[in-house]
Amino acid sequence: QMVETQFVLSFVHRFLEHRGATTYFAFCYPFSYTECQEMLAQLDSRFQECRHMSPSSPLDSVYYHRELLCHSLDKLRVDLLTVTSCHGMLEKREPRLDKLFPDTATPRPRRFAGKRVFFLSSRVHPGETPSSFVFNGFLDFILREEDPRAQMLRRMFVFKLIPMLNPDGVVRGHYRTDSRGVNLNRQYLNPDAELHPAVYGAKAVLLYHHVHSRVLPGSPDWRTYVSPLGTSSLSTKSSNHSIRSSASSLEPALSELEKANNLRNSPSSWRASTYFSPSQEPRLSAAPAAEPSSKDQAVWILPSSHPVEHCEEDARRPPSAPLPETVLPQDSGLAYYVDLHGHASKRGCFMYGNSFPDENDQVENMLFPKLISLNSPHFDFTGCNFSEKNMYAKDKRDGQSKEGSGRVAVYKALGIIHSPSHPPRDSAPGGLWLSQPHPFGQHLSVPPGAAAPAQRVPLPWQVGRALAVAALDMAECNPWPRIVLSEHSCLSNLRAWMLKHVRGMKGAGGGPRRRGGARTPPRSSTGLPTSASDNALSRMRSFGNGTGGSGSSRQDSPQIRASPSFTFSCSRP
C-alpha cells in the first residue's frame, strides 16, 4: 500500500524457531561485502605461493593475483583478481594506471604474451545478489587445478575479475545505487575517478588491455603448445604445491590425458596454430607492446574526451602503442566483457547483448549465449535480448539511458562483439541476468550464538560454470564438449542455425533484433517457444524433481542430460 507517498510491503510471519534465534528476511539469498572479503582471504591463503611465480614456473600452474583496484567513496575495497596459467608469463609487470592501484606494497600482476583478456564484473547493482553466486561459480571453475577444461581456459585467457563493483551499496543495503544514490551502471560513458572510482577503474582496465593484451602476429597458440619435456598438451595434476621449491627448475614431464571425448575436438580441427621449439622460446621475453613510462600512463587508459589534460604526454606516446579507438575490434586484446546482474521481475537466466547491423557480427554475438544454454538447463536463450531498442532505452524512474551501461559503453568505446550483460546478465560485451525469488524472497533462521551460514545457491553457481565452458566451445577447444551431443553436433552447424535465426528475426522485426523489447521474446522462425520464462521455469522444476525434460526440441535433449561429463547438481564447490 501507499503510505504518505511511500510504498509499503506488509506480510505476516509466525516465528516457530527457538527463543533467541535471529531471523533474516531477504529479497534473495544474501552475499555481503564481509562474506566476499572472507572468500577472497581464503583464496589468498590457498594460492599464497603464487606470489613466488616466475616465467620458469610449471606452465599449467594456476596463477592467482589479488590487488586493490581502488577504494570506494566509503573507503571500502574494490578488488581486482587476475587468474591465468604461467604460459606466456613475462618478467615485466603491468603498470600502475593513473589514479588507480593505491596499495604500492602489492606489486601489479605479471604480463602475458599470446593471451587475450576475459573480463567479468559483478554487483554494480548491490541488491542483485544472484550475480555474486554466478561470479563465484565462474571463479570456482576457472581455479580448478585438475580439470582439463579449466586448464585450457587458463591457457587461452587472462581473467580479470571484479567481484563487487559497488561495495558501498552492498554495505548500506541499497538495491541499485551507491552511497550518493547514483546508478553506477549509467556512468560508463564518462566515469569520474573521484565520484565513480570503481567504474572509472573498470573502464581503465578494459581500455588498457584492449591495447596491451593484443595477440600479435607470431604469438604462440597456447592451446596446442606442448612442453619440450612433456608428452601431452594438458596435465591431470596441478603443480601449484611445489612452486616455491621448483621456481627455478624446468617443468616436469606432463602425464598423458586420455579422454574419449577429446577426440571430438582434436587439435587438427582447431585454427592454424603456432608451435614453438626451445630455440624460439626466448622471443616470448619481449612484451607485445611498448611499456608506457610513469609520466604518460594516463594516456593509455583515458578516452579521447580527455585530450587537453594530457596533450604533453600524448606527444611522447611510443608509436607501437596506439590509442584505444585506433585498434580494430577484431584485433582487440579484450576477448570477452561480461557484467553480471539480477532481474527483479523477469524469470529465468538470460542475457542482454548489443545489436549489430552486420548479420555475421550478430551471429557471433548470439552464439555465445546459445552455447551457455547448451551447457546449462537453467539458461534461457529465448529470454535473451539483442535489440537496438534495448541498448538505448531510458529508465522509467530517472530517464537515464542504457547507453551509459557497461555493455553499451564498452561496445561504443571498443567495438568488440562479445560484450553482454548477464542477470545474471552476461555476454561479450553484454550482461547476464538471473531472476530473483518470488514473491516474497527468502527467510533464514539462525540459532542463538551462531553465525549466518554462507549461501551457495546451486542454480546460479552452475550457470557461472556454463558461462566459462561456453568460451571453450566458442574456440572449439573444449576437452569434454557437450555440443556434440546436441541436435547441432558441431559449432559450424550451430552457426548456420544461428544465421537462420537472425534472418528470421530480421524478417519479423525489420533488422537483426527482436520485436517488443526484453519482456516479450518472439516466436522465431526456428520454432523456439514463445514463452521463454514459462519454458525456463518448467524446465528448472522438472530437473529439480528428477524428471525428464519438457519434451521440446531445445537443447535439453535426453542425450545431453545423460552426458557423463556434466552434472546439473553442484555436488562439489
Side-chain angles (χ1 to χ4, degrees), residues 204-442:
V205 171
L206 288 166
L207 290 172
Y208 171 82
H209 289 289
H210 172 64
V211 174
H212 293 278
S213 292
R214 291 171 294 153
V215 176
L216 302 179
S219 297
D221 186 342
W222 297 117
R223 298 174 301 175
T224 54
Y225 178 81
V226 179
S227 168
L229 301 180
T231 59
S232 169
S233 60
L234 289 179
S235 65
T236 56
K237 292 189 177 181
S238 167
S239 303
N240 276 61
H241 64 281
S242 59
I243 290 170
R244 184 174 297 170
S245 60
S246 62
S248 59
S249 63
L250 294 176
E251 181 189 5
L254 302 177
S255 58
E256 186 70 28
L257 178 66
E258 296 180 350
K259 291 287 183 181
N261 279 336
N262 285 8
L263 300 177
R264 304 275 191 171
N265 275 357
S266 61
S268 61
S269 65
W270 301 349
R271 302 173 190 170
S273 306
T274 302
Y275 294 81
F276 278 74
S277 64
S279 62
Q280 292 173 298
E281 288 180 351
R283 291 165 46 190
L284 303 181
S285 60
E291 186 78 25
S293 67
S294 59
K295 293 184 179 181
D296 59 25
Q297 288 171 0
V299 175
W300 313 109
I301 66 171
L302 290 176
S304 57
S305 57
H306 299 74
V308 178
E309 183 178 357
H310 300 280
C311 58
E312 182 179 351
E313 290 87 344
D314 185 76
R316 295 195 297 267
R317 181 182 298 105
S320 58
L323 283 169
E325 56 264 32
T326 64
V327 177
L328 296 177
Q330 60 267 29
D331 298 329
S332 175
L334 185 63
Y336 291 85
Y337 164 66
V338 180
D339 190 29
L340 300 172
H341 292 253
H343 205 286
S345 58
K346 188 174 177 178
R347 292 183 177 180
C349 180
F350 52 94
M351 185 174 288
Y352 286 169
N354 296 318
S355 176
F356 292 83
D358 182 84
E359 68 177 17
N360 291 322
D361 289 341
Q362 190 70 354
V363 166
E364 296 304 309
N365 184 33
M366 297 172 66
L367 266 182
F368 185 58
K370 180 62 179 177
L371 288 168
I372 298 175
S373 72
L374 292 180
N375 286 284
S376 172
H378 308 301
F379 187 89
D380 185 14
F381 175 72
T382 62
C384 299
N385 190 320
F386 299 91
S387 68
E388 185 177 10
K389 177 181 178 181
N390 198 42
M391 294 173 64
Y392 303 103
K394 293 186 177 181
D395 297 333
K396 294 180 180 179
R397 177 174 297 180
D398 53 21
Q400 290 185 308
S401 172
K402 290 186 178 181
E403 188 175 5
S405 66
R407 66 180 171 95
V408 180
V410 170
Y411 162 66
K412 292 175 72 70
L414 309 180
I416 65 172
I417 294 177
H418 292 288
S419 170
S421 21
H422 211 254
R425 275 163 135 163
D426 175 89
S427 189
L432 177 72
W433 277 260
L434 283 177
S435 64
Q436 311 218 88
H438 292 284
F440 299 117
Q442 308 290 328

Side-chain angles (χ1 to χ4, degrees), residues 180-197:
R180 298 171 56 245
V182 174
N183 182 354
L184 294 179
N185 200 35
R186 297 295 181 268
Q187 311 303 321
Y188 276 88
L189 282 177
N190 190 24
D192 186 280
E194 303 298 328
L195 299 179
H196 325 112

